[in-house]
Each structure stands twice: as structure tokens, then as C-alpha cells.
Amino acid sequence: MDRLQFIKIMGMSVIGATIAPKILAGTGVRPDKLDQLDLGNRNLEADTPKQVKIVVLGAGQRGEAYASYAAMYPEAMKIVGVADINPVRLKKMADEHGVDEKYRFGDWSEALAAGKIADAVIISLPDDVHYEPCMKALELGYHILLEKPVAPTRRECEDIRDLANRKGTIVAVCHVLRYAPYFVALKKVVDSGMIGKLMSIQHLEPIRYEHMAHSYVRGNWHNSKKTTPIILAKSCHDLDIIRWLVGSPCRSISAYGSLSFFTHENRPEGAPARCTDNCPHEATCPYSAIDIYTRKHKHTYVFDNLPPKGPEQDRAIMEQLKVTDYGRCVFDMDNDQCDHYVASMEFDNGVTAAFSMEAFTLKGGRRTRIMGTLGMIEGDMEQFTVSDFRTGKAQQWSAKDIVEVAAYAGHGHGGGDLCLARDFVNAVGNNDPERLTSSIDVSTESHVMGFCAEESRLGNKKVKVS
């Protein structure tokens, strides 16, 4: 079983035909219909000869997402250790997975000081706390599921890649979009030759206005010097997807962008330091913390020990807004992340790509246009349409036609989180890195694209990507 096995869930249950390998490789006679593509089986269960034991370093939202696979498939994956400096999160995850008291650690360093107690570690710590634990885990011989971005600097990313290769260990970077059924299907259509030779890609990442305020103005990633630039913190997923779809190294990149709106200069007259301090603009401000967290109830996972949803929960959130950055005015932060960003890329095979990251959008969901010599694809992470230039006809693939919704419903990145966890377990359990979509080498390559984009943006120049 491989990463494509989940794809039949996504509206393709009627597929019965298989086609010659040369067609899937993009040679020979191209398929004319989506149902001629062999998109694999539909199974989230891992195919591993042993139970893979995992230590989780960082029990926050991302750590929980991957650890949830162990609860669904305990015969394939078991959480045997947890480390988190937040005692509430530590206890929650450790209790859920029945972790022995001696393997409940405060800091990540305590967990690694215990020696090698499992097959692999999940590193889901803050961006600036990836490098040291990853290097130490590699020295211990652990396989690693590493949350993106790999590390805050190009040198650190390359250090991790080089040590992983020397040790012969598996490092899977959490480029979860590669594992989402939507993007797997999209990649298969491009590679099949249905739209002819790939020529160019337009890709948009709409962050959403309240998500931008939550994560990149008030939240953990608001300052690029303390974490990573937003092109990596948010959009390394997208650079990786573009690189994956193109199937060729990036030759050069040019980028533009800035922090234009969430600045002290744009602070409304009379606005206090916090939304909770009787701000006269609170009722009309779309970035009001009170509105985002207590009225719309978005991103509330950042608040610990909340009562069930209702008036008590809202009161508990309000108390935390009075003392945390999440309650501060978006125009009174020490943020420096760009709130709009564009990048143009040229690849070795001649394909060009245009990427746009936008904070000021109402809806999320990546939008992608892919242009080929015989047709084009347009998609929004829920469905895509393949148009044929010769016939003028269009075919649609839609997530609304999902057959077994329960297999991935409620899980992040269009099912990508669970599919990645499954493939990582398969790779470790079978000692076979080919079970993963990309190696640490390829993941480092797309990160280098991000670092070069920042060099271009800050230096106002076109940058060669080596």
C-alpha cells in the first residue's frame, strides 16, 4: 500500500479500469477521461510488519494531529513518550495514549536525554526549536517526522539533510499537502499527459483575514526574526507543491511583498493596546480579538483548559485575551511578517510558476491553475476541472463525491495529515523511505526556494536557486 491508496475516497469509487504504465508516465497515448487513471486503493490503514513506537516532542495542535493516527490504528502506531513544557498539554496527550509516567517529559531535551526509547520521534515544536532536537534525535538513530519548516536558516536545513543522509535515517518533513487526496489526484492528472506538456502554473494561497491576524500578527509566527519568514512559516507547503507538480528543480526566483497594513501607522485613533480595553472600534473592526475568538469561535485551540462551548467558555477566553498576545490590537504588535507576497519562478525544464500569498481574503483553500499544451486544470482544494482544448469538453473531480467520509472527516489539510502519518508509519515499519512522497533532500530543495525568495524580496533582485 502507498500514499495513493486513499485517493479513491475522493469521488472515484467507480474506477475500474487500469491503464498501461507508459500512460501514467506521460508517454504513449494519453488517457481521455479521469476514470481511466489508476488512482490506487482506498485504505488509511498502514501496511507495516510491526507496531511503530513514537515519541512526540511538542503536544500542541500539530503534534495532536499526527498522534491521532495512533488512536485510530493502535496496532500500527503507538505513542510511548511525550514532551511538552505546557503541563496541561503534556498530561492531555500522555493520558490519551496511556504513556507511562517515566516517559512524560517537560522539555524536549529531557526526552532525548533518556536515550533511544522508540523507533521515531515527531518534532512539532516551535519553528526556532527544530534544529537542535532534530540533530540530537538523528545522532540517537531516530527516524523523524518533522513539522515544517525544517529550520529557520538555510544552513540549518542543510545540516539536518546532511546528517540524515550520513546516518541513513528517514526524515519526513510535514509537507502534508502532498499527501492530501486532492493534490495526489491533481499530480496524477498532470503526469498522465491529459493536458499535454506542462507549461505554467498559477497558485494562490488565501490565508484569510482572521487567520492572518491570529497566527502572523498576534500569534506564534508574528515575528520572522524569532521564527521564520512567512514564505516559509506559511507557504513552504505551496513552494513544495509547485516544485512537486513541475517535477524539475527551480532555476531562479523573484519575489515582492511587504507588511503594509498591520502597522502602528494604521492604528485607529483612540484604539487602546487591547481589544478588551473598551476599544471604540471593536464592534466594527474585522480583526477584533473578541469577535474572532468569542463570537466566531475561531482558533480557540490556543487556549488551554476551556470549559465546554457556551457563556463560561467565552468568559474564560476573555480572561486570557486580557493577558496574552491574542488580545492585543493588531496595530500595536511587534510583528514584521508580510501581509501580501508574490513570487515568480522559472524551472530547469522551462516551466514557469507564479505564486501569490494573500492575507486579505474571506475564504481559504488554495486556488490553482495549471496550463498545458492540450488543456488546463482549475481547482480550489475541493474540486478541479480539466478542460480539453481539442474537444472543448470539461471533466470535474470533486471532493463532494466522497464515498467514505468518515475515513478523513474532521482531519486537517484535506486528509493530508492522516495520509502522511500512515505513510510515515509504513516507511519506518518497513524501513523503506520510498513509501514517502519526498525525501529530506527534496524538502530541503523547496525550503531553499523560500530562502532565495526572501533574498530576492529584501534585495530587490532576481536570485538564482542552486
Side-chain angles (χ1 to χ4, degrees):
M1 185 180 72
D2 60 24
R3 60 188 172 276
L4 301 181
Q5 291 181 332
F6 185 47
I7 195 62
K8 274 194 177 178
I9 295 172
M10 307 300 282
M12 307 299 289
S13 62
V14 297
I15 297 173
T18 57
I19 56 179
K22 65 179 183 179
I23 295 178
L24 291 178
T27 61
V29 180
R30 68 187 180 93
D32 293 313
K33 297 181 179 180
L34 287 177
D35 62 9
Q36 292 177 328
L37 290 171
D38 180 8
L39 298 175
N41 298 321
R42 56 179 192 222
N43 197 341
L44 272 175
E45 188 173 359
D47 176 24
T48 173
K50 68 171 188 175
Q51 183 187 58
V52 175
K53 295 179 173 60
I54 303 279
V55 175
V56 180
L57 308 182
Q61 183 200 29
R62 298 313 300 152
E64 280 193 337
Y66 306 122
S68 69
Y69 187 84
M72 297 176 67
Y73 299 99
E75 70 286 352
M77 174 177 164
K78 181 175 177 58
I79 306 301
V80 299
V82 181
D84 200 294
I85 59 174
N86 184 316
V88 175
R89 293 180 183 177
L90 171 61
K91 185 178 187 306
K92 181 176 181 293
M93 180 178 286
D95 286 352
E96 286 176 353
H97 295 278
V99 175
D100 192 294
E101 288 292 338
K102 67 180 179 180
Y103 295 133
R104 301 183 181 204
F105 308 98
D107 188 73
W108 64 264
S109 59
E110 298 172 19
L112 296 183
K116 191 170 185 290
I117 60 175
D119 301 300
V121 296
I122 295 174
I123 298 179
S124 47
L125 298 160
D127 296 0
D128 58 339
V129 195
H130 282 190
Y131 179 70
E132 190 176 357
C134 190
M135 293 294 280
K136 290 190 175 183
L138 287 171
E139 289 288 0
L140 287 170
Y142 275 116
H143 299 296
I144 299 172
L145 183 60
L146 178 60
E147 184 54 70
K148 61 82 184 172
V150 171
T153 70
R154 176 172 178 169
R155 180 191 64 79
E156 290 174 334
C157 289
E158 292 172 342
D159 283 351
I160 289 171
R161 175 200 63 195
D162 294 345
L163 182 56
N165 287 334
R166 287 199 301 273
K167 290 286 187 179
T169 52
I170 296 168
V171 177
V173 179
C174 296
H175 288 307
V176 289
L177 295 186
R178 280 187 179 230
Y179 299 85
Y182 169 89
F183 281 107
V184 173
L186 200 64
K187 171 69 170 169
K188 292 297 293 186
V189 173
V190 171
D191 289 351
S192 75
M194 286 185 71
I195 62 168
K197 181 182 177 182
L198 176 63
M199 300 302 289
S200 62
I201 295 175
Q202 296 176 347
H203 184 72
L204 166 68
E205 182 184 19
I207 295 179
R208 299 192 318 272
Y209 72 98
E210 88 288 343
H211 187 184
M212 181 72 191
H214 167 73
S215 293
Y216 304 100
V217 179
R218 295 182 173 114
N220 293 337
W221 298 274
H222 71 275
N223 190 295
S224 65
K225 299 175 184 63
K226 296 178 181 178
T227 55
T228 50
I230 197 167
I231 188 67
L232 286 161
K234 186 70 177 78
S235 300
C236 69
H237 278 321
D238 303 277
L239 296 179
D240 181 72
I241 281 293
I242 292 170
R243 167 64 180 84
W244 187 45
L245 291 172
V246 171
S248 177
C250 184
R251 180 183 299 165
S252 62
I253 192 165
S254 297
Y256 306 87
S258 64
L259 171 61
S260 301
F261 182 65
F262 298 106
T263 66
H264 294 277
E265 292 75 18
N266 289 321
R267 184 173 175 176
E269 184 176 354
R274 291 185 176 275
C275 299
T276 53
D277 292 341
N278 297 314
C279 176
H281 308 282
E282 189 279 320
T284 57
C285 177
Y287 308 101
S288 160
I290 297 173
D291 185 54
I292 291 172
Y293 300 114
T294 69
R295 298 189 192 113
K296 293 186 171 72
H297 296 102
K298 293 189 175 182
H299 308 290
T300 56
Y301 56 83
V302 297
F303 304 112
D304 294 320
N305 283 335
L306 287 181
K309 192 172 182 179
E312 287 298 319
Q313 183 185 97
D314 291 344
R315 280 191 283 271
I317 291 174
M318 285 292 288
E319 289 304 310
Q320 295 197 45
L321 294 182
K322 293 176 183 178
V323 295
T324 67
D325 283 351
Y326 293 109
R328 292 175 63 181
C329 175
V330 291
F331 304 104
D332 192 40
M333 288 291 299
D334 61 333
N335 58 302
D336 68 351
Q337 298 283 22
C338 293
D339 48 31
H340 56 125
Y341 201 115
V342 297
S344 298
M345 292 153 268
E346 182 182 26
F347 293 83
D348 283 352
N349 61 359
V351 173
T352 55
F355 169 65
S356 181
M357 181 216 78
E358 303 295 340
F360 306 105
T361 62
L362 182 63
K363 296 181 180 180
R366 273 90 171 174
R367 316 293 204 274
T368 309
R369 289 193 181 101
I370 304 174
M371 279 66 72
T373 55
L374 299 177
M376 68 176 293
I377 309 170
E378 295 182 274
D380 62 3
M381 265 190 83
E382 291 186 356
Q383 62 185 28
F384 61 78
T385 301
V386 182
S387 300
D388 189 307
F389 295 159
R390 298 181 305 171
T391 66
K393 294 181 179 180
Q395 301 177 65
Q396 190 174 84
W397 180 98
S398 177
K400 295 178 182 178
D401 299 328
I402 297 165
V403 176
E404 296 177 2
V405 175
Y408 76 95
H411 294 276
H413 298 97
D417 290 352
L418 288 181
C419 291
L420 170 58
R422 176 202 61 200
D423 285 7
F424 181 68
V425 167
N426 279 335
V428 173
N430 292 280
N431 195 28
D432 180 10
E434 295 299 318
R435 298 294 189 107
L436 294 161
T437 298
S438 66
S439 65
I440 182 61
D441 299 83
V442 176
S443 292
T444 301
E445 184 183 335
S446 61
H447 275 58
V448 168
M449 290 167 60
F451 290 119
C452 289
E454 272 298 274
E455 182 183 347
S456 169
R457 183 183 73 85
L458 296 173
N460 193 28
K461 60 183 180 180
K462 178 179 177 179
V463 173
K464 181 179 179 181
V465 182
S466 58

PDB file of all heavy atoms in Angstrom, residues 133-149:
ATOM      1  N   PRO A 133      16.883  19.774  18.591  1.00  0.00           N
ATOM      2  CA  PRO A 133      16.317  18.448  18.872  1.00  0.00           C
ATOM      3  C   PRO A 133      16.391  17.497  17.677  1.00  0.00           C
ATOM      4  O   PRO A 133      16.580  16.288  17.855  1.00  0.00           O
ATOM      5  CB  PRO A 133      14.860  18.743  19.258  1.00  0.00           C
ATOM      6  CG  PRO A 133      14.586  20.107  18.759  1.00  0.00           C
ATOM      7  CD  PRO A 133      15.884  20.842  18.801  1.00  0.00           C
ATOM      8  N   CYS A 134      16.262  18.034  16.466  1.00  0.00           N
ATOM      9  CA  CYS A 134      16.345  17.178  15.284  1.00  0.00           C
ATOM     10  C   CYS A 134      17.756  16.605  15.143  1.00  0.00           C
ATOM     11  O   CYS A 134      17.918  15.399  14.893  1.00  0.00           O
ATOM     12  CB  CYS A 134      15.970  17.973  14.032  1.00  0.00           C
ATOM     13  SG  CYS A 134      15.770  16.936  12.570  1.00  0.00           S
ATOM     14  N   MET A 135      18.764  17.425  15.325  1.00  0.00           N
ATOM     15  CA  MET A 135      20.144  16.949  15.201  1.00  0.00           C
ATOM     16  C   MET A 135      20.456  15.912  16.280  1.00  0.00           C
ATOM     17  O   MET A 135      21.096  14.881  16.017  1.00  0.00           O
ATOM     18  CB  MET A 135      21.110  18.124  15.288  1.00  0.00           C
ATOM     19  CG  MET A 135      21.018  19.100  14.118  1.00  0.00           C
ATOM     20  SD  MET A 135      21.528  18.400  12.525  1.00  0.00           S
ATOM     21  CE  MET A 135      23.316  18.521  12.681  1.00  0.00           C
ATOM     22  N   LYS A 136      19.973  16.144  17.497  1.00  0.00           N
ATOM     23  CA  LYS A 136      20.234  15.189  18.581  1.00  0.00           C
ATOM     24  C   LYS A 136      19.479  13.883  18.363  1.00  0.00           C
ATOM     25  O   LYS A 136      19.994  12.799  18.641  1.00  0.00           O
ATOM     26  CB  LYS A 136      19.865  15.817  19.927  1.00  0.00           C
ATOM     27  CG  LYS A 136      20.827  16.929  20.348  1.00  0.00           C
ATOM     28  CD  LYS A 136      20.606  17.369  21.777  1.00  0.00           C
ATOM     29  CE  LYS A 136      21.673  18.396  22.190  1.00  0.00           C
ATOM     30  NZ  LYS A 136      21.541  18.819  23.602  1.00  0.00           N
ATOM     31  N   ALA A 137      18.253  13.979  17.858  1.00  0.00           N
ATOM     32  CA  ALA A 137      17.480  12.776  17.583  1.00  0.00           C
ATOM     33  C   ALA A 137      18.127  11.947  16.472  1.00  0.00           C
ATOM     34  O   ALA A 137      18.151  10.715  16.528  1.00  0.00           O
ATOM     35  CB  ALA A 137      16.050  13.148  17.195  1.00  0.00           C
ATOM     36  N   LEU A 138      18.671  12.628  15.477  1.00  0.00           N
ATOM     37  CA  LEU A 138      19.369  11.923  14.406  1.00  0.00           C
ATOM     38  C   LEU A 138      20.609  11.210  14.935  1.00  0.00           C
ATOM     39  O   LEU A 138      20.907  10.074  14.552  1.00  0.00           O
ATOM     40  CB  LEU A 138      19.760  12.900  13.291  1.00  0.00           C
ATOM     41  CG  LEU A 138      18.623  13.404  12.401  1.00  0.00           C
ATOM     42  CD1 LEU A 138      19.113  14.517  11.482  1.00  0.00           C
ATOM     43  CD2 LEU A 138      18.026  12.269  11.584  1.00  0.00           C
ATOM     44  N   GLU A 139      21.329  11.862  15.833  1.00  0.00           N
ATOM     45  CA  GLU A 139      22.517  11.245  16.424  1.00  0.00           C
ATOM     46  C   GLU A 139      22.150   9.983  17.203  1.00  0.00           C
ATOM     47  O   GLU A 139      22.920   9.017  17.253  1.00  0.00           O
ATOM     48  CB  GLU A 139      23.231  12.236  17.340  1.00  0.00           C
ATOM     49  CG  GLU A 139      23.933  13.383  16.612  1.00  0.00           C
ATOM     50  CD  GLU A 139      25.186  12.938  15.874  1.00  0.00           C
ATOM     51  OE1 GLU A 139      25.527  11.738  15.919  1.00  0.00           O
ATOM     52  OE2 GLU A 139      25.822  13.801  15.231  1.00  0.00           O
ATOM     53  N   LEU A 140      20.962   9.983  17.805  1.00  0.00           N
ATOM     54  CA  LEU A 140      20.498   8.816  18.557  1.00  0.00           C
ATOM     55  C   LEU A 140      19.991   7.702  17.645  1.00  0.00           C
ATOM     56  O   LEU A 140      19.733   6.589  18.110  1.00  0.00           O
ATOM     57  CB  LEU A 140      19.385   9.224  19.533  1.00  0.00           C
ATOM     58  CG  LEU A 140      19.811  10.032  20.768  1.00  0.00           C
ATOM     59  CD1 LEU A 140      18.586  10.578  21.499  1.00  0.00           C
ATOM     60  CD2 LEU A 140      20.656   9.178  21.711  1.00  0.00           C
ATOM     61  N   GLY A 141      19.833   8.009  16.362  1.00  0.00           N
ATOM     62  CA  GLY A 141      19.364   6.993  15.429  1.00  0.00           C
ATOM     63  C   GLY A 141      17.865   6.951  15.235  1.00  0.00           C
ATOM     64  O   GLY A 141      17.330   5.990  14.679  1.00  0.00           O
ATOM     65  N   TYR A 142      17.177   8.000  15.673  1.00  0.00           N
ATOM     66  CA  TYR A 142      15.729   8.063  15.485  1.00  0.00           C
ATOM     67  C   TYR A 142      15.373   8.386  14.031  1.00  0.00           C
ATOM     68  O   TYR A 142      16.052   9.185  13.371  1.00  0.00           O
ATOM     69  CB  TYR A 142      15.125   9.168  16.352  1.00  0.00           C
ATOM     70  CG  TYR A 142      14.805   8.800  17.771  1.00  0.00           C
ATOM     71  CD1 TYR A 142      15.458   9.416  18.835  1.00  0.00           C
ATOM     72  CD2 TYR A 142      13.825   7.869  18.060  1.00  0.00           C
ATOM     73  CE1 TYR A 142      15.146   9.111  20.151  1.00  0.00           C
ATOM     74  CE2 TYR A 142      13.497   7.549  19.365  1.00  0.00           C
ATOM     75  CZ  TYR A 142      14.170   8.177  20.407  1.00  0.00           C
ATOM     76  OH  TYR A 142      13.850   7.867  21.708  1.00  0.00           O
ATOM     77  N   HIS A 143      14.287   7.804  13.539  1.00  0.00           N
ATOM     78  CA  HIS A 143      13.614   8.311  12.355  1.00  0.00           C
ATOM     79  C   HIS A 143      12.766   9.492  12.826  1.00  0.00           C
ATOM     80  O   HIS A 143      12.334   9.533  13.990  1.00  0.00           O
ATOM     81  CB  HIS A 143      12.735   7.241  11.722  1.00  0.00           C
ATOM     82  CG  HIS A 143      13.499   6.026  11.277  1.00  0.00           C
ATOM     83  ND1 HIS A 143      14.443   6.061  10.285  1.00  0.00           N
ATOM     84  CD2 HIS A 143      13.445   4.737  11.698  1.00  0.00           C
ATOM     85  CE1 HIS A 143      14.946   4.855  10.101  1.00  0.00           C
ATOM     86  NE2 HIS A 143      14.362   4.028  10.953  1.00  0.00           N
ATOM     87  N   ILE A 144      12.504  10.441  11.923  1.00  0.00           N
ATOM     88  CA  ILE A 144      11.873  11.690  12.366  1.00  0.00           C
ATOM     89  C   ILE A 144      10.755  12.123  11.433  1.00  0.00           C
ATOM     90  O   ILE A 144      10.912  12.141  10.210  1.00  0.00           O
ATOM     91  CB  ILE A 144      12.919  12.826  12.448  1.00  0.00           C
ATOM     92  CG1 ILE A 144      14.011  12.463  13.454  1.00  0.00           C
ATOM     93  CG2 ILE A 144      12.254  14.141  12.846  1.00  0.00           C
ATOM     94  CD1 ILE A 144      15.171  13.427  13.471  1.00  0.00           C
ATOM     95  N   LEU A 145       9.611  12.464  12.037  1.00  0.00           N
ATOM     96  CA  LEU A 145       8.541  13.177  11.350  1.00  0.00           C
ATOM     97  C   LEU A 145       8.653  14.625  11.813  1.00  0.00           C
ATOM     98  O   LEU A 145       8.381  14.938  12.971  1.00  0.00           O
ATOM     99  CB  LEU A 145       7.167  12.592  11.715  1.00  0.00           C
ATOM    100  CG  LEU A 145       5.952  13.200  11.005  1.00  0.00           C
ATOM    101  CD1 LEU A 145       6.051  13.023   9.494  1.00  0.00           C
ATOM    102  CD2 LEU A 145       4.660  12.584  11.520  1.00  0.00           C
ATOM    103  N   LEU A 146       9.082  15.507  10.925  1.00  0.00           N
ATOM    104  CA  LEU A 146       9.478  16.869  11.277  1.00  0.00           C
ATOM    105  C   LEU A 146       8.486  17.877  10.733  1.00  0.00           C
ATOM    106  O   LEU A 146       8.297  17.997   9.519  1.00  0.00           O
ATOM    107  CB  LEU A 146      10.881  17.148  10.723  1.00  0.00           C
ATOM    108  CG  LEU A 146      11.476  18.540  10.941  1.00  0.00           C
ATOM    109  CD1 LEU A 146      11.602  18.862  12.421  1.00  0.00           C
ATOM    110  CD2 LEU A 146      12.838  18.628  10.255  1.00  0.00           C
ATOM    111  N   GLU A 147       7.859  18.615  11.636  1.00  0.00           N
ATOM    112  CA  GLU A 147       6.917  19.649  11.224  1.00  0.00           C
ATOM    113  C   GLU A 147       7.664  20.726  10.432  1.00  0.00           C
ATOM    114  O   GLU A 147       8.822  21.027  10.704  1.00  0.00           O
ATOM    115  CB  GLU A 147       6.227  20.255  12.456  1.00  0.00           C
ATOM    116  CG  GLU A 147       5.155  21.287  12.143  1.00  0.00           C
ATOM    117  CD  GLU A 147       4.102  20.763  11.174  1.00  0.00           C
ATOM    118  OE1 GLU A 147       3.306  19.889  11.537  1.00  0.00           O
ATOM    119  OE2 GLU A 147       4.097  21.242  10.020  1.00  0.00           O
ATOM    120  N   LYS A 148       6.980  21.254   9.442  1.00  0.00           N
ATOM    121  CA  LYS A 148       7.590  22.327   8.654  1.00  0.00           C
ATOM    122  C   LYS A 148       7.500  23.640   9.424  1.00  0.00           C
ATOM    123  O   LYS A 148       6.627  23.788  10.303  1.00  0.00           O
ATOM    124  CB  LYS A 148       6.913  22.429   7.283  1.00  0.00           C
ATOM    125  CG  LYS A 148       5.407  22.745   7.326  1.00  0.00           C
ATOM    126  CD  LYS A 148       5.131  24.216   7.490  1.00  0.00           C
ATOM    127  CE  LYS A 148       3.677  24.546   7.629  1.00  0.00           C
ATOM    128  NZ  LYS A 148       3.433  25.954   7.985  1.00  0.00           N
ATOM    129  N   PRO A 149       8.387  24.606   9.116  1.00  0.00           N
ATOM    130  CA  PRO A 149       9.552  24.478   8.264  1.00  0.00           C
ATOM    131  C   PRO A 149      10.651  23.663   8.946  1.00  0.00           C
ATOM    132  O   PRO A 149      10.680  23.543  10.166  1.00  0.00           O
ATOM    133  CB  PRO A 149       9.995  25.917   8.037  1.00  0.00           C
ATOM    134  CG  PRO A 149       9.532  26.643   9.259  1.00  0.00           C
ATOM    135  CD  PRO A 149       8.241  25.980   9.663  1.00  0.00           C
TER     136      PRO A 149
END
